[in-house]
Amino acid sequence: MRVQVTVHELGGSTRLRRVLTPADPLRRTHQSRLLWAHTGALIGSRADLLRLGALVRLAAVSPHSALYLPLRGNPRSAYAEQWKLADLVVVRGDVPLRRSAWPAVRSRLRHGRARTVDTPAPRDEARPDDWRRDRRALGVTEFADTVFLAGTAEALLEAGDELTRCGNQVAVNPDIHRSGGPALLSQFDGPDRHAGPRRDEGWECMVLAEDELFKRPQAGG
């Protein structure tokens, strides 16, 4: 899939050299905070979920980049009205990005150059049963109204594939056809590595879809 991104070069000699943002914002996507109640949700339209899947796979193969999705300012759907919303950053675990440094990095993203890039295609093979084990686990941290999703390249590729699968499910989902959603399509989960003494606590992120474009007209309507 080809996507348009804006590339913000950071300069310097650190391994985090650039931040990528979608050239066309994902305006129908919301990300809730996850760690305040150990549960939350990502919700999007079919088009946004498909594009998000491609962008997450791009982050997976970008060893010097972070993907930044500014989502907090999106118009809220009724379902997301009560959520504590956040922006989303997706980054490989081997890319050094101190969460406390993120506000300063974010403040530098005023100018960038537009590029059209090819993202890795979703893989057709079935996911292995052990894809959620530690070597592929996704990790979540939060800071400055931002959810940071990190993992190995393989973990992010798997997450991108799953988001693409969810996007493809929207067109055939009965809940979407009936009411436009929200419809639960999948779920990500993992350990909360910053839970202090509550090391057994984890987090879960439901993947939901809302899309009025696929809502069937009601009889007599």
Side-chain angles (χ1 to χ4, degrees):
M1 182 176 184
R2 306 199 81 190
V3 297
Q4 291 186 318
V5 297
T6 301
V7 180
H8 304 268
E9 299 287 352
L10 300 179
S13 59
T14 67
R15 290 187 61 193
L16 177 60
R17 298 176 186 170
R18 65 191 67 88
V19 175
L20 311 177
T21 58
D24 183 18
L26 277 66
R27 299 192 185 278
R28 299 177 66 192
T29 298
H30 299 95
Q31 172 67 64
S32 79
R33 291 172 58 185
L34 300 176
L35 300 183
W36 66 285
H38 301 283
T39 187
L42 168 72
I43 187 167
S45 65
R46 180 179 190 271
D48 276 12
L49 287 171
L50 291 175
R51 198 147 55 100
L52 180 57
L55 288 166
V56 171
R57 289 193 298 276
L58 177 62
V61 297
S62 302
H64 303 290
S65 303
L67 170 67
Y68 171 43
L69 300 151
L71 304 175
R72 282 180 295 154
N74 286 347
R76 294 190 182 215
S77 67
Y79 184 74
E81 196 62 40
Q82 303 302 316
W83 291 3
K84 295 183 178 180
L85 296 183
D87 295 334
L88 179 63
V89 169
V90 182
V91 64
R92 283 172 40 153
D94 57 357
V95 176
L97 173 58
R98 287 188 298 110
R99 293 1 180 197
S100 61
W102 173 245
V105 173
R106 184 172 55 193
S107 70
R108 296 168 58 188
L109 307 181
R110 296 188 180 92
H111 305 288
R113 55 189 175 88
R115 285 188 58 190
T116 300
V117 297
D118 291 312
T119 64
R123 297 165 299 177
D124 293 330
E125 67 267 21
R127 295 180 302 159
D129 291 338
D130 66 347
W131 80 284
R132 295 181 189 273
R133 290 183 181 174
D134 286 347
R135 67 188 178 89
R136 295 181 178 180
L138 298 172
V140 161
T141 53
E142 294 179 355
F143 189 80
D145 296 314
T146 304
V147 170
F148 298 86
L149 183 69
T152 63
E154 180 64 25
L156 294 183
L157 285 170
E158 295 283 6
D161 290 348
E162 185 69 0
L163 289 166
T164 295
R165 188 194 70 80
C166 291
N168 286 327
Q169 285 295 308
V170 170
V172 297
N173 186 278
D175 291 334
I176 298 290
H177 287 175
R178 182 168 50 252
S179 64
L184 176 62
L185 303 177
S186 187
Q187 179 173 300
F188 296 127
D189 52 57
D192 182 355
R193 299 187 177 100
H194 300 274
R198 299 188 301 171
R199 295 292 181 182
D200 59 332
E201 289 282 6
W203 58 268
E204 60 183 22
C205 181
M206 297 177 290
V207 180
L208 303 157
E210 283 186 316
D211 203 321
E212 292 286 335
L213 292 177
F214 292 90
K215 181 180 176 180
R216 290 174 178 162
Q218 299 298 311

